[in-house]
Every structure is written in C-alpha cells, then in structure tokens.
Amino acid sequence: MQKMPQYGRVTDSIVKELEGIVGSENSTTRTEEIICYMRDASPFTLRPDAIVRPTTTGQVAAVLELANRERIPLTPRGAGTSAAGSPLPVLGGIVLDMYRMNKIISIDIDNQMVSVEPGVVCDTLNDELLKYGYFFPPDPASSPACTIGGMVGCNASGNKTIKYGPTRAFVLWLEVVLPTGEIISTG
C-alpha cells in the first residue's frame, strides 16, 4: 500500500511571506474571501487556505518557489468558470488567482499572432481582435467571463470547434513557471 505524501500547511509565517511577495492587498486568508474560491461551475466545493493574486511572472515564480520549498499544494485559477472542478484546491493550500494578470501584450496582425497574460478574458480579446477583422476561434459558452489561461488549461472548446479546433490549436508557445520557480518558454 502506497503512503499518501505529506504536505505543508499555510501558517502565519507563510502568509507573511506571501504578503511580502504579492503585497498584503493581493493576499488573503479571510473566510469571506476564501468562500468565493471554494466553487467553480461544477458541483464540487473545496476550501483553500490562502489566496494570492500576482500581477507579474516574477511574483508567480516566487509564490511557486515558496510553495515548492514548503511542500504546500498550489492550484492556479482564472475566472472559475470550469465545469470540471479544475480550479478547485483538492488538497487545500494556496490558490493562485491569475485574474489580475490580464493584459493583452501584443497583437501582430501581419503574423496573425497575439501575446496575452493568462487572466485576459476571452471576449475582451475578441473585442480587440474585432477591430482588425479577426477573432479567437474557441468559443466556450463562458467566453464573457473565462480567461485564456483557464482555456489553455482545460483545452476549451465551443460551437466553432468543429470548424476551427479547440484552444490547443491556437497556442504557439507558452511562458511557464515550474514548481521550482524557474521560468521557461515552450514552442
């Protein structure tokens, strides 16, 4: 019989370290805020111990490095529109709310490429692309609220998928933060 791994807990000192990374205004353990992160569009309810809202890749890297060092479970979250429970913290720990990383970095019409942060809302991206006569084809029903990071995470699809393909068909590269805090680029 395989033994369940032991995980670290979010202590007061861990909360202070998280606040040092993202600022006290972007970190919380308040019950009334935690409750908002216990659900998505699925029937499941799971409780995190802390919420952090990074605004830079460097902050994401520092949070992951801390969580890895202390063996604290970490769950990334976009808008929480998943119907599968993917942004829910199965083992508690830290929820990494990516919603504040919501910038469209660049739109390159000549090469038909867009670079975005993970918290960009699908319809927001499409509103910008429409100005150039383009659109981002995956069309989930949650497009007014779902984020690109969440769409990539679950390979979102929708009505236009049969013609154009799911989200993965439109991802050329990713900037990824590994559990160690190392930042890599793929693609």
Side-chain angles (χ1 to χ4, degrees):
M1 179 148 79
Q2 194 170 16
K3 187 177 177 184
M4 181 73 162
Q6 296 295 310
Y7 293 102
R9 304 300 305 160
V10 176
T11 62
D12 290 342
S13 65
I14 297 295
V15 170
K16 290 290 180 205
E17 282 190 69
L18 291 170
E19 289 174 351
I21 295 168
V22 298
S24 59
E25 68 281 3
N26 292 322
S27 177
T28 188
T29 57
R30 293 176 47 202
T31 302
E32 57 272 25
E33 290 187 68
I34 294 287
I35 289 170
C36 298
Y37 290 84
M38 291 173 57
R39 297 203 56 127
D40 62 357
S42 74
F44 310 113
T45 304
L46 296 163
R47 184 185 178 97
D49 300 309
I51 312 299
V52 293
R53 301 177 190 103
T55 56
T56 68
T57 302
Q59 288 177 348
V60 173
V63 171
L64 264 75
E65 185 178 6
L66 168 64
N68 187 57
R69 182 186 77 223
E70 300 296 328
R71 295 195 39 79
I72 298 170
L74 185 137
T75 307
R77 181 184 177 103
T81 60
S82 171
S86 57
L88 299 179
V90 173
L91 298 171
I94 301 166
V95 165
L96 190 66
D97 179 356
M98 303 304 290
Y99 208 70
R100 289 204 170 149
M101 291 183 69
N102 58 7
K103 293 177 188 69
I104 298 173
I105 297 166
S106 67
I107 297 176
D108 180 351
I109 295 303
D110 292 338
N111 293 303
Q112 296 183 355
M113 291 177 46
V114 177
S115 181
V116 300
E117 291 181 334
V120 171
V121 172
C122 182
D123 276 4
T124 301
L125 176 58
N126 274 323
D127 289 346
E128 287 302 309
L129 292 174
L130 185 60
K131 295 173 184 176
Y132 303 95
Y134 286 84
F135 65 99
F136 181 55
D139 188 30
S142 59
S143 66
C146 70
T147 60
I148 301 298
M151 290 176 68
V152 169
C154 72
N155 193 29
S157 58
N159 291 332
K160 298 175 184 168
T161 299
I162 292 173
K163 182 174 182 178
Y164 297 104
T167 299
R168 73 171 169 237
F170 300 94
V171 177
L172 297 176
W173 65 273
L174 297 169
E175 181 178 68
V176 178
V177 180
L178 301 178
T180 60
E182 180 184 0
I183 301 168
I184 64 168
S185 291
T186 68

